[in-house]
Amino acid sequence: RKEVEQDPGPFNVPEGATVAFNCTYSNSASQSFFWYRQDCRKEPKLLMSVYSSGNEDGRFTAQLNRASQYISLLIRDSKLSDSATYLCVVNPLYSSASKIIFGSGTRLSIRP
Amino acid sequence: GAGVSQSPRYKVAKRGQDVALRCDPISGHVSLFWYQQALGQGPEFLTYFQNEAQLDKSGLPSDRFFAERPEGSVSTLKIQRTQQEDSAVYLCASSLGNTGELFFGEGSRLTVL
């Protein structure tokens, strides 16, 4: 079983729609969690951290469920520019001095 | 520049050839990571350093892969006797070490013929 698993998609949704992705992780001792965004043929970039209490950044909401070991990302009022691959990232520690694991990514395509 | 710099951006190697990929992290970043990304896949962890110490190399796929960071700054990933399955983008990332945010370079795309 992979340490971090994501639905690969692709998700193809119309502009303005709400879309949600989930990610599960196997290491129950994992401490910190993130969503990264990767555009085609570009490097990954941090989208947002995921906090235990859940957090929101504009149209994006991230949630963590430690009991079920999953992380979610919700995108509201999707824009064409949201088209990208979204990578779930799990860190065993709170600091970056650790083996940080990426999921295989969920592809999102927003259509006009 | 202010970001993570990787070279070469593109490398074509004949099977059996040795290659060396360089990563110049953001100045002052303590942690440095190498990932391998195949087409359509997420980045797969290879190894990471804290300063010059290689703390985890469990992701290196074989003993043909070797990474070093001798002075705690620039790092080199070396692949000996390249095979076709080594074809991928090799991503380097650095971090201050006190958060989980990684800053990636643009990657080195290796094609083994």
Side-chain angles (χ1 to χ4, degrees):
Chain A
R1 182 186 171 192
K2 295 195 79 170
E3 293 179 72
V4 178
E5 295 204 59
Q6 296 183 246
D7 182 340
F11 286 67
N12 189 327
V13 303
E15 200 172 2
T18 295
V19 61
F21 315 132
N22 282 339
C23 162
T24 58
Y25 61 94
S26 60
N27 182 358
S28 60
S30 298
Q31 298 290 336
S32 53
F33 309 89
F34 307 87
W35 284 101
Y36 276 67
R37 170 192 168 129
Q38 186 172 26
D39 293 301
C40 189
R41 302 181 82 86
K42 297 286 190 180
E43 73 274 21
K45 292 185 179 178
L46 179 67
L47 176 66
M48 60 196 301
S49 302
V50 185
Y51 303 123
S52 295
S53 54
N55 50 298
E56 193 173 302
D57 183 1
R59 299 181 292 107
F60 298 82
T61 300
Q63 299 218 309
L64 168 64
N65 184 317
R66 284 189 185 272
S68 300
Q69 294 179 213
Y70 80 80
I71 307 146
S72 65
L73 177 68
L74 180 80
I75 306 174
R76 291 181 299 278
D77 186 24
S78 52
K79 311 290 185 193
L80 294 176
S81 58
D82 295 333
S83 297
T85 295
Y86 291 84
L87 299 161
C88 173
V89 182
V90 174
N91 186 351
L93 300 177
Y94 282 116
S95 78
S96 64
S98 178
K99 181 178 176 180
I100 297 176
I101 302 296
F102 283 71
S104 55
T106 298
R107 281 199 295 136
L108 173 65
S109 179
I110 308 297
R111 63 179 187 269
Chain B
V4 176
S5 177
Q6 290 189 246
S7 62
R9 288 290 314 282
Y10 303 93
K11 176 69 178 178
V12 178
K14 291 182 180 177
R15 197 164 68 101
Q17 189 177 349
D18 297 349
V19 300
L21 308 176
R22 176 189 167 105
C23 174
D24 208 331
I26 294 172
S27 178
H29 277 199
V30 171
S31 301
L32 184 145
F33 300 76
W34 284 99
Y35 289 85
Q36 179 191 60
Q37 188 170 28
L39 192 63
Q41 300 295 313
E44 293 282 343
F45 173 85
L46 293 177
T47 185
Y48 87 92
F49 295 83
Q50 188 168 348
N51 295 308
E52 69 279 2
Q54 189 174 20
L55 299 187
D56 190 321
K57 56 181 181 179
S58 62
L60 296 176
S62 77
D63 58 7
R64 296 186 295 104
F65 286 71
F66 172 77
E68 61 182 4
R69 194 186 186 197
E71 296 177 0
S73 178
V74 171
S75 177
T76 304
L77 176 67
K78 297 179 180 177
I79 310 172
Q80 296 177 321
R81 304 182 303 283
T82 52
Q83 303 295 316
Q84 282 192 315
E85 62 262 28
D86 300 335
S87 296
V89 175
Y90 290 86
L91 293 164
C92 175
S94 70
S95 174
L96 276 170
N98 59 349
T99 71
E101 182 174 5
L102 302 184
F103 295 84
F104 281 87
E106 292 181 297
S108 291
R109 183 177 297 274
L110 173 65
T111 302
V112 182
L113 303 177

